Amino acid sequence: TIASVQARQYTNCDDWVADPGATFTGTEPQTIESAHRYCENLHITQRYSFTNSTVHGVEIVFDSETDIESRFDSLTFSYTDTNGNAQTILYDRYDSSSFTIEANEFDIIFRSDDMYDFWGYKFTATPVAVPCHDLVTNPGTTFTGMETQTIESPHNYCDNLNVSQ
């Protein structure tokens, strides 16, 4: 289990390697980054989760300083999409300035060889809310019995929305 913590800036590779990732409970964008300069001979896996029930994806936007040794070091994003299929996205500094992960939880797998170390990575992970259209077209749920039910909607994402379910 990963504790609910904020992503950190690392002053050395040992602290970075020891960090398992983070769980974010809100919908605010989060900055996630490696140690700068990263170390040689690393294989790190970190898990990041956005647990707010309105989140159905995460937009990843890389900082322009991101610099990883091409062809020898790698940064891979791994996740399971909403259909249950395993997906991977390999960061490529020439064409991966941004992309969207279609899940609220993902792993980062970083590998470096034993030759050179570069600046590393830094990106903003912004939760993507359930589209308002999905909320409007959802026919609702029928409850039986007298128990109390909680119904959540994508707060602050659907301004001027009139829904009766």
PDB file of all heavy atoms in Angstrom, residues 1-2 52 88 90 109 114 123 127 135 145 149 154 160 164:
ATOM      1  N   THR A   1       0.845  -1.183   0.000  1.00  0.00           N
ATOM      2  CA  THR A   1       0.000   0.000   0.000  1.00  0.00           C
ATOM      3  C   THR A   1       0.882   1.235   0.000  1.00  0.00           C
ATOM      4  O   THR A   1       1.822   1.331   0.775  1.00  0.00           O
ATOM      5  CB  THR A   1      -0.912   0.028   1.238  1.00  0.00           C
ATOM      6  OG1 THR A   1      -1.676  -1.164   1.252  1.00  0.00           O
ATOM      7  CG2 THR A   1      -1.817   1.247   1.208  1.00  0.00           C
ATOM      8  N   ILE A   2       0.552   2.161  -0.845  1.00  0.00           N
ATOM      9  CA  ILE A   2       1.312   3.399  -0.958  1.00  0.00           C
ATOM     10  C   ILE A   2       0.606   4.473  -0.149  1.00  0.00           C
ATOM     11  O   ILE A   2      -0.589   4.679  -0.269  1.00  0.00           O
ATOM     12  CB  ILE A   2       1.412   3.829  -2.427  1.00  0.00           C
ATOM     13  CG1 ILE A   2       2.127   2.746  -3.233  1.00  0.00           C
ATOM     14  CG2 ILE A   2       2.141   5.147  -2.559  1.00  0.00           C
ATOM     15  CD1 ILE A   2       2.066   2.950  -4.711  1.00  0.00           C
ATOM     16  N   ASN A  52      -9.492  10.100  -6.535  1.00  0.00           N
ATOM     17  CA  ASN A  52     -10.770  10.792  -6.595  1.00  0.00           C
ATOM     18  C   ASN A  52     -11.671  10.056  -7.594  1.00  0.00           C
ATOM     19  O   ASN A  52     -11.254   9.741  -8.703  1.00  0.00           O
ATOM     20  CB  ASN A  52     -10.548  12.252  -7.031  1.00  0.00           C
ATOM     21  CG  ASN A  52     -11.817  13.058  -6.999  1.00  0.00           C
ATOM     22  OD1 ASN A  52     -12.783  12.751  -7.686  1.00  0.00           O
ATOM     23  ND2 ASN A  52     -11.812  14.095  -6.196  1.00  0.00           N
ATOM     24  N   THR A  88       1.288   0.282 -22.538  1.00  0.00           N
ATOM     25  CA  THR A  88       2.567   0.904 -22.217  1.00  0.00           C
ATOM     26  C   THR A  88       2.826   2.052 -23.179  1.00  0.00           C
ATOM     27  O   THR A  88       2.465   1.985 -24.353  1.00  0.00           O
ATOM     28  CB  THR A  88       3.755  -0.087 -22.295  1.00  0.00           C
ATOM     29  OG1 THR A  88       3.803  -0.638 -23.609  1.00  0.00           O
ATOM     30  CG2 THR A  88       3.632  -1.193 -21.280  1.00  0.00           C
ATOM     31  N   LEU A  90       6.146   4.453 -24.141  1.00  0.00           N
ATOM     32  CA  LEU A  90       7.570   4.696 -23.978  1.00  0.00           C
ATOM     33  C   LEU A  90       7.854   6.161 -24.284  1.00  0.00           C
ATOM     34  O   LEU A  90       7.514   6.646 -25.366  1.00  0.00           O
ATOM     35  CB  LEU A  90       8.382   3.791 -24.909  1.00  0.00           C
ATOM     36  CG  LEU A  90       9.903   3.952 -24.864  1.00  0.00           C
ATOM     37  CD1 LEU A  90      10.439   3.588 -23.481  1.00  0.00           C
ATOM     38  CD2 LEU A  90      10.550   3.088 -25.945  1.00  0.00           C
ATOM     39  N   ILE A 109       8.344   3.120 -15.101  1.00  0.00           N
ATOM     40  CA  ILE A 109       9.492   2.226 -15.056  1.00  0.00           C
ATOM     41  C   ILE A 109      10.650   2.987 -15.708  1.00  0.00           C
ATOM     42  O   ILE A 109      10.577   3.356 -16.882  1.00  0.00           O
ATOM     43  CB  ILE A 109       9.243   0.895 -15.793  1.00  0.00           C
ATOM     44  CG1 ILE A 109       8.046   0.163 -15.158  1.00  0.00           C
ATOM     45  CG2 ILE A 109      10.477   0.006 -15.745  1.00  0.00           C
ATOM     46  CD1 ILE A 109       6.802   0.260 -15.930  1.00  0.00           C
ATOM     47  N   ASP A 114      24.953   1.866 -17.844  1.00  0.00           N
ATOM     48  CA  ASP A 114      26.123   2.185 -17.021  1.00  0.00           C
ATOM     49  C   ASP A 114      27.089   3.165 -17.684  1.00  0.00           C
ATOM     50  O   ASP A 114      28.243   3.272 -17.275  1.00  0.00           O
ATOM     51  CB  ASP A 114      26.862   0.905 -16.638  1.00  0.00           C
ATOM     52  CG  ASP A 114      27.374   0.147 -17.850  1.00  0.00           C
ATOM     53  OD1 ASP A 114      27.089   0.550 -18.995  1.00  0.00           O
ATOM     54  OD2 ASP A 114      28.068  -0.864 -17.652  1.00  0.00           O
ATOM     55  N   PHE A 123       7.592  16.008 -15.162  1.00  0.00           N
ATOM     56  CA  PHE A 123       6.343  16.187 -15.892  1.00  0.00           C
ATOM     57  C   PHE A 123       5.226  16.555 -14.932  1.00  0.00           C
ATOM     58  O   PHE A 123       5.324  16.360 -13.721  1.00  0.00           O
ATOM     59  CB  PHE A 123       5.977  14.934 -16.705  1.00  0.00           C
ATOM     60  CG  PHE A 123       5.761  13.688 -15.899  1.00  0.00           C
ATOM     61  CD1 PHE A 123       4.520  13.391 -15.351  1.00  0.00           C
ATOM     62  CD2 PHE A 123       6.795  12.791 -15.700  1.00  0.00           C
ATOM     63  CE1 PHE A 123       4.320  12.238 -14.612  1.00  0.00           C
ATOM     64  CE2 PHE A 123       6.614  11.618 -14.968  1.00  0.00           C
ATOM     65  CZ  PHE A 123       5.375  11.350 -14.431  1.00  0.00           C
ATOM     66  N   PRO A 127      -5.104  15.188 -13.508  1.00  0.00           N
ATOM     67  CA  PRO A 127      -6.246  14.278 -13.587  1.00  0.00           C
ATOM     68  C   PRO A 127      -7.280  14.773 -14.587  1.00  0.00           C
ATOM     69  O   PRO A 127      -7.513  15.977 -14.705  1.00  0.00           O
ATOM     70  CB  PRO A 127      -6.840  14.299 -12.179  1.00  0.00           C
ATOM     71  CG  PRO A 127      -5.844  14.974 -11.322  1.00  0.00           C
ATOM     72  CD  PRO A 127      -4.966  15.794 -12.192  1.00  0.00           C
ATOM     73  N   LEU A 135     -22.045  11.857 -17.515  1.00  0.00           N
ATOM     74  CA  LEU A 135     -22.919  12.037 -16.365  1.00  0.00           C
ATOM     75  C   LEU A 135     -24.353  12.280 -16.811  1.00  0.00           C
ATOM     76  O   LEU A 135     -25.301  11.731 -16.266  1.00  0.00           O
ATOM     77  CB  LEU A 135     -22.429  13.213 -15.505  1.00  0.00           C
ATOM     78  CG  LEU A 135     -23.242  13.500 -14.252  1.00  0.00           C
ATOM     79  CD1 LEU A 135     -23.171  12.315 -13.298  1.00  0.00           C
ATOM     80  CD2 LEU A 135     -22.758  14.758 -13.588  1.00  0.00           C
ATOM     81  N   GLY A 145     -34.753  -0.611  -0.884  1.00  0.00           N
ATOM     82  CA  GLY A 145     -34.491  -0.606   0.551  1.00  0.00           C
ATOM     83  C   GLY A 145     -34.384   0.817   1.075  1.00  0.00           C
ATOM     84  O   GLY A 145     -34.581   1.788   0.371  1.00  0.00           O
ATOM     85  N   GLN A 149     -27.628   6.205   0.343  1.00  0.00           N
ATOM     86  CA  GLN A 149     -26.727   6.051  -0.796  1.00  0.00           C
ATOM     87  C   GLN A 149     -26.021   7.373  -1.057  1.00  0.00           C
ATOM     88  O   GLN A 149     -26.618   8.437  -0.942  1.00  0.00           O
ATOM     89  CB  GLN A 149     -27.509   5.650  -2.050  1.00  0.00           C
ATOM     90  CG  GLN A 149     -28.291   4.366  -1.901  1.00  0.00           C
ATOM     91  CD  GLN A 149     -27.379   3.159  -1.772  1.00  0.00           C
ATOM     92  OE1 GLN A 149     -26.262   3.164  -2.265  1.00  0.00           O
ATOM     93  NE2 GLN A 149     -27.860   2.137  -1.090  1.00  0.00           N
ATOM     94  N   PRO A 154     -18.961  14.892 -10.914  1.00  0.00           N
ATOM     95  CA  PRO A 154     -17.675  15.551 -11.114  1.00  0.00           C
ATOM     96  C   PRO A 154     -17.726  17.017 -10.688  1.00  0.00           C
ATOM     97  O   PRO A 154     -17.925  17.911 -11.496  1.00  0.00           O
ATOM     98  CB  PRO A 154     -17.412  15.387 -12.614  1.00  0.00           C
ATOM     99  CG  PRO A 154     -18.704  15.037 -13.226  1.00  0.00           C
ATOM    100  CD  PRO A 154     -19.584  14.481 -12.156  1.00  0.00           C
ATOM    101  N   ASN A 160     -22.986  24.893 -14.925  1.00  0.00           N
ATOM    102  CA  ASN A 160     -24.300  25.120 -15.536  1.00  0.00           C
ATOM    103  C   ASN A 160     -24.920  23.850 -16.098  1.00  0.00           C
ATOM    104  O   ASN A 160     -25.534  23.845 -17.149  1.00  0.00           O
ATOM    105  CB  ASN A 160     -24.203  26.194 -16.639  1.00  0.00           C
ATOM    106  CG  ASN A 160     -23.682  27.498 -16.104  1.00  0.00           C
ATOM    107  OD1 ASN A 160     -24.107  27.952 -15.042  1.00  0.00           O
ATOM    108  ND2 ASN A 160     -22.754  28.093 -16.828  1.00  0.00           N
ATOM    109  N   SER A 164     -31.309  15.610 -14.109  1.00  0.00           N
ATOM    110  CA  SER A 164     -32.275  14.955 -13.213  1.00  0.00           C
ATOM    111  C   SER A 164     -32.210  13.467 -13.510  1.00  0.00           C
ATOM    112  O   SER A 164     -32.383  13.046 -14.646  1.00  0.00           O
ATOM    113  CB  SER A 164     -33.689  15.491 -13.452  1.00  0.00           C
ATOM    114  OG  SER A 164     -34.095  15.229 -14.753  1.00  0.00           O
TER     115      SER A 164
END
